[in-house]
Amino acid sequence: KEFRATTGKLFNGKARLYYRDSTYLPGGQNWNGRDVFWSRGNGWVFGALAMILRDLPADHADRAWFVDLYRRMAEGVVACQQADGSWHPDLADPKTPDCPEMSGTSFFTYGFIWGLNNGLLDPVVYEPGARKGWAAICRAMDESGRLGWVQQVGSSPTAELKPDYFEFYATGAYLCAAKELC
């Protein structure tokens, strides 16, 4: 019930992405007038949809609604993927900043691989994105195995990211993706 209510308020059907909260609804655009769709926030939702569908019984009354939402969101997510396989902090404005963000990239890659493994996504459309996302994640690992280019704790896309920015939530998303590869 709450997921549906939140989706009704924050899901942009045209972009097929979520606003972070009501302060980002149309009228809460960034400095150049574009809507803000936060990579990590949408990554959390997309990863959560995969987990909900993983655990939701096949005969659950709401399963078709969640499958439809998951597929619609997958369309929005794949449209925002960059040529290098990553997603940037602000999905609607990838030039601000023009760099990868690995927590969103890891969650999206996990969601794609899970959907492919479970027959919910078309391999022709989504397998290339999953492969490119995984390659971007691997390139963002440092010599000690830490995943860099992770936006620090915050409430919106950041204007600054560096290769040595690490956070545990990105590692968790990376591990979800890695598990789906096995």
Side-chain angles (χ1 to χ4, degrees):
K1 181 178 174 182
E2 293 301 318
F3 206 111
R4 280 181 183 262
T6 300
T7 296
K9 179 146 181 128
L10 299 179
F11 188 72
N12 178 303
K14 183 177 178 187
R16 298 170 312 260
L17 298 167
Y18 281 83
Y19 295 103
R20 181 191 183 273
D21 59 39
S22 61
T23 63
Y24 287 93
L25 293 172
Q29 293 93 352
N30 68 9
W31 65 274
N32 63 6
R34 290 184 155 184
D35 285 343
V36 176
F37 297 105
W38 187 22
S39 180
R40 184 169 71 223
N42 276 277
W44 283 332
V45 175
F46 195 60
L49 284 168
M51 291 178 183
I52 288 167
L53 289 167
R54 177 195 67 200
D55 296 341
L56 199 64
D59 62 350
H60 193 280
D62 291 325
R63 185 167 183 85
W65 182 85
F66 278 104
V67 168
D68 178 65
L69 178 60
Y70 169 78
R71 287 179 172 153
R72 288 179 22 206
M73 192 170 184
E75 292 170 357
V77 168
V78 77
C80 297
Q81 190 173 28
Q82 300 302 299
D84 70 354
S86 73
W87 284 266
H88 290 195
D90 185 343
L91 298 173
D93 191 4
K95 301 293 183 200
T96 313
D98 188 5
C99 62
E101 198 288 310
M102 286 299 123
S103 60
T105 297
S106 296
F107 279 118
F108 297 141
T109 301
Y110 159 66
F112 283 171
I113 298 170
W114 183 89
L116 291 163
N117 287 347
N118 289 278
L120 292 178
L121 295 179
D122 180 352
V124 172
V125 176
Y126 295 98
E127 189 173 332
R131 289 181 183 279
K132 288 180 4 181
W134 184 254
I137 293 166
C138 292
R139 284 191 308 275
M141 296 280 188
D142 73 8
E143 20 340 296
S144 71
R146 289 192 307 178
L147 182 60
W149 291 103
V150 177
Q151 183 178 334
Q152 303 300 281
V153 174
S155 60
S156 65
T158 184
E160 181 182 50
L161 278 170
K162 296 180 181 177
D164 63 343
Y165 281 13
F166 310 100
E167 288 294 338
F168 291 119
Y169 43 79
T171 302
Y174 156 75
L175 291 172
C176 287
K179 180 180 174 285
E180 284 300 314
L181 285 173
C182 297

